[in-house]
Amino acid sequence: MASTATHLVVVFTMLVSAMAAAESNMLQDFCVADLSNAVRVNGYTCKDSTQVTPEDFYFQGLATAKAAANSSTGAIVTSATVEKLPGLNTLGLSMSRIDYAPNGLNPPHVHPRASEVIFVLEGQLYVGFVTTAGKLVAKYINKGEVFVFPKGLLHFQKNIAGSAPASVLAAFDSQLPGTQSLVASLFGALPDNILVETFKIKPKQVKTIKSRYQPKK
């Protein structure tokens, strides 16, 4: 009897798992994000379909270049995520535009929830990522070319032209990829003693670097 009951539990568990897997696809045409609803469970709740408009699926923020020279690193990222484009909700994709001033740098960072592919609109860049084994995979890329950064790996882009701007379009397999900047995260959040021991530098140097980054509240 005990053996039969065990078998029933196993079969039931398998059926539930199979049903959950079968329902992983969308069960409606779309789920436009209700950005006014504070309730979030790994995404946004759906807006009332009768209130959906074409504007929910439209965003013009990537159309023009931004003045990257005014940024601290010479690069500006303009994102078209679910927070700007509610129609992306549950679709598992988003885009960004990155504009670089001459010699501009998009510093080392990570997207914890997405892989990224970039298409060069203008200019020439030096781009790359670092594997978990510590190997640098990098290449010079030009207008019309594509490069991929695997999910969760540290990566960067650098405009190598000293006199011309550059720009790329980036696509992600997440509606909200998230971005964690390496230096800003380390020196904007970690205690001084941890940074001193990690980088083998003096407390005064840590404080100097930290002064450039405000901790998140």
Side-chain angles (χ1 to χ4, degrees):
M1 178 69 72
S3 178
T4 300
T6 300
H7 288 160
L8 286 174
V9 169
V10 170
V11 171
F12 178 75
T13 301
M14 291 175 65
L15 285 173
V16 170
S17 298
M19 290 169 63
E23 298 296 345
S24 62
N25 293 322
M26 290 178 61
L27 300 180
Q28 63 278 323
D29 290 339
F30 49 76
C31 174
V32 173
D34 183 356
L35 301 178
S36 66
N37 192 335
V39 178
R40 293 183 62 184
V41 181
N42 199 31
Y44 289 91
T45 56
C46 299
K47 183 178 181 180
D48 184 342
S49 61
T50 63
Q51 303 300 314
V52 168
T53 72
E55 300 305 309
D56 291 319
F57 302 91
Y58 173 79
F59 181 68
Q60 60 180 356
L62 308 186
T64 56
K66 299 298 186 294
N70 297 329
S71 69
S72 61
T73 63
I76 290 184
V77 179
T78 306
S79 298
T81 65
V82 66
E83 294 175 336
K84 299 285 183 64
L85 187 53
L88 289 175
N89 196 39
T90 74
L91 298 185
L93 52 89
S94 60
M95 294 184 70
S96 289
R97 175 179 179 135
I98 312 170
D99 294 300
Y100 313 83
N103 294 316
L105 170 69
N106 190 12
H109 62 281
V110 169
H111 301 298
R113 298 186 287 271
S115 296
E116 175 184 4
V117 56
I118 61 171
F119 173 83
V120 183
L121 294 171
E122 294 291 343
Q124 183 183 40
L125 299 105
Y126 179 61
V127 304
F129 62 87
V130 180
T131 71
T132 55
K135 179 182 178 180
L136 174 64
V137 179
K139 186 174 178 62
Y140 292 96
I141 58 174
N142 302 285
K143 181 177 179 178
E145 297 178 345
V146 169
F147 195 84
V148 175
F149 305 105
K151 179 180 179 179
L153 295 186
L154 188 69
H155 61 282
F156 66 91
Q157 304 107 30
K158 166 76 174 175
N159 179 9
I160 60 174
S163 59
S167 58
V168 304
L169 281 180
F172 305 88
D173 59 343
S174 170
Q175 67 185 38
L176 202 58
T179 300
Q180 186 171 35
S181 171
L182 175 63
V183 177
S185 294
L186 291 174
F187 288 90
L190 295 183
D192 290 16
N193 64 312
I194 299 297
L195 295 168
V196 168
E197 292 183 33
T198 299
F199 293 100
K200 309 303 180 186
I201 58 179
K202 297 179 179 180
K204 184 177 180 180
Q205 293 173 302
V206 169
K207 291 185 182 298
T208 298
I209 299 173
K210 270 196 161 190
S211 66
R212 305 171 190 165
Y213 301 94
Q214 296 299 318
K216 301 293 184 180
K217 296 181 179 180

